[in-house]
């Protein structure tokens, strides 16, 4: 949820690019923002004040009027190029090319994203967009699906993959505020999360320590949500933990 104050820029263009195989979308919009149900505007003066100094990534800088939205990367450490799509791109050699896993993934299939595709995409964003955006919204699902009974997911593997992606995000956007949130595939069991503090919130506060303001650590440990000022005196982003609203939780 974005909360901009009356901030103006000269353009108001919206760009949407998607990579089907990666299930990664990034959204570039003007900071003026069009009215939409998912966007609420409030003056930043309505927010509680804090005496804590601003975090290093929100120091004064040139603004571009755009932000980047990254979601559902679903990197799969077991993805094997040349394996059978019918086996989640994990094993076996297919008899025909249509059922063969490609180097950079298989669109519209039960396979998740190979690390090669995730790496290539982040490299592209670093080279082409990192210097032209004001902040990054990263809405989770940074681990593979639990769709292969022969390779069940574990909490350790989920956290390790999220730690890997978090490190890559820091390298890709070193001087840009990043606001992450928990996806339903970032926890185990899938879709299930109890009230905090718990092992999940404790783990992610360590993985995302450089993304979450120090003043929000305790709030995040209890509920998995936080607020972050991404443009000083103008825009605050609230990262919600929607797991608590999921019917199957």
């Amino acid at each position: 949820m974005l909360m901009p104050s009356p901030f103006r820029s000269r353009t108001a263009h919206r760009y949407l690019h998607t990579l089907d195989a990666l299930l990664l979308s990034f959204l570039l919009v003007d900071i003026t923002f069009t009215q939409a149900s998912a966007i609420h505007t409030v003056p930043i003066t309505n927010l509680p004040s804090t005496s804590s100094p601003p975090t290093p990534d929100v120091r004064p800088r040139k603004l571009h009027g755009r932000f980047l939205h990254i979601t559902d990367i679903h990197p799969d450490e077991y993805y094997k190029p040349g394996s059978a799509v019918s086996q989640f791109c994990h094993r076996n050699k297919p008899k025909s090319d249509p059922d063969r896993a490609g180097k950079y993934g298989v669109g519209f299939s039960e396979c998740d994203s190979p690390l090669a595709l995730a790496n290539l995409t982040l490299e592209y964003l670093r080279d082409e967009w990192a210097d032209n955006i004001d902040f990054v919204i990263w809405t989770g699902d940074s681990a593979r699906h639990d769709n292969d009974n022969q390779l069940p997911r574990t909490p350790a593997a989920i956290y390790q993959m999220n730690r890997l992606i978090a490190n890559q995000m820091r390298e890709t956007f070193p001087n840009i505020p990043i606001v992450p949130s928990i996806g339903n595939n970032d926890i185990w069991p899938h879709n299930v999360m109890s009230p905090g503090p718990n092992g999940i919130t404790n783990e992610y506060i360590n993985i995302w320590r450089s993304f979450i303001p120090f003043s929000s650590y305790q709030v995040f440990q209890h509920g998995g949500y936080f607020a972050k000022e991404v443009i000083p005196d103008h825009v605050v982003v609230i990262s919600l933990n929607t797991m608590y609203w999921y019917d199957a939780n």
Side-chain angles (χ1 to χ4, degrees):
M1 181 183 298
L2 301 171
M3 304 174 65
S5 67
F7 176 81
R8 296 293 182 265
S9 63
R10 295 182 179 178
T11 60
H13 299 293
R14 183 182 299 267
Y15 305 92
L16 177 63
H17 306 269
T18 58
L19 294 174
D20 293 328
L22 183 60
L23 297 179
L24 181 152
S25 66
F26 51 100
L27 180 63
L28 297 161
V29 302
D30 189 274
I31 294 298
T32 306
F33 299 116
T34 55
Q35 292 298 318
S37 59
I39 298 175
H40 300 270
T41 62
V42 299
I44 198 169
T45 52
N46 288 352
L47 299 174
S49 61
T50 174
S51 58
S52 301
T55 53
D57 59 0
V58 294
R59 63 184 182 277
R61 63 190 188 280
K62 178 183 177 181
L63 297 178
H64 305 280
R66 289 184 291 266
F67 70 90
L68 183 68
H69 179 204
I70 300 178
T71 190
D72 292 84
I73 300 176
H74 289 295
D76 185 356
E77 64 271 34
Y78 292 103
Y79 186 99
K80 184 179 179 181
S83 61
V85 173
S86 59
Q87 296 296 314
F88 311 104
C89 298
H90 289 163
R91 66 185 72 83
N92 297 349
K93 187 175 181 180
K95 296 180 180 179
S96 61
D97 285 339
D99 193 39
R100 195 182 310 277
K103 178 180 179 180
Y104 293 110
V106 182
F108 305 102
S109 72
E110 293 295 321
C111 298
D112 281 320
S113 304
L115 295 179
L117 180 58
N119 292 336
L120 186 65
T121 302
L122 290 174
E123 289 172 6
Y124 173 82
L125 294 176
R126 179 198 64 201
D127 296 340
E128 300 295 331
W129 285 107
D131 294 330
N132 297 292
I133 56 175
D134 299 322
F135 57 92
V136 176
I137 305 296
W138 172 24
T139 49
D141 273 5
S142 299
R144 66 187 177 95
H145 290 94
D146 200 7
N147 53 9
D148 189 346
N149 292 332
Q150 295 186 39
L151 292 171
R153 301 195 317 162
T154 65
I158 295 170
Y159 297 145
Q160 179 59 29
M161 185 55 69
N162 269 273
R163 192 171 289 108
L164 173 66
I165 299 299
N167 289 336
Q168 288 183 295
M169 294 285 281
R170 294 184 189 96
E171 295 174 1
T172 303
F173 310 105
N175 300 309
I176 300 173
I178 300 172
V179 185
S181 59
I182 299 173
N184 66 325
N185 286 288
D186 296 324
I187 60 178
W188 191 94
H190 183 255
N191 295 328
V192 178
M193 186 172 180
S194 61
N198 54 46
I200 295 173
T201 58
N202 289 337
E203 192 69 37
Y204 279 104
I205 203 170
N206 287 320
I207 296 173
W208 297 341
R209 185 166 296 273
S210 63
F211 305 143
I212 302 174
F214 178 77
S215 59
S216 295
Y217 281 5
Q218 190 174 27
V219 171
F220 185 86
Q221 284 182 313
H222 281 82
Y225 62 90
F226 66 97
K228 182 170 184 175
E229 186 176 287
V230 294
I231 298 179
D233 301 323
H234 287 291
V235 179
V236 165
V237 175
I238 299 178
S239 174
L240 295 177
N241 177 14
T242 58
M243 291 308 305
Y244 292 138
W245 284 276
Y246 187 56
D247 291 342
N249 186 9

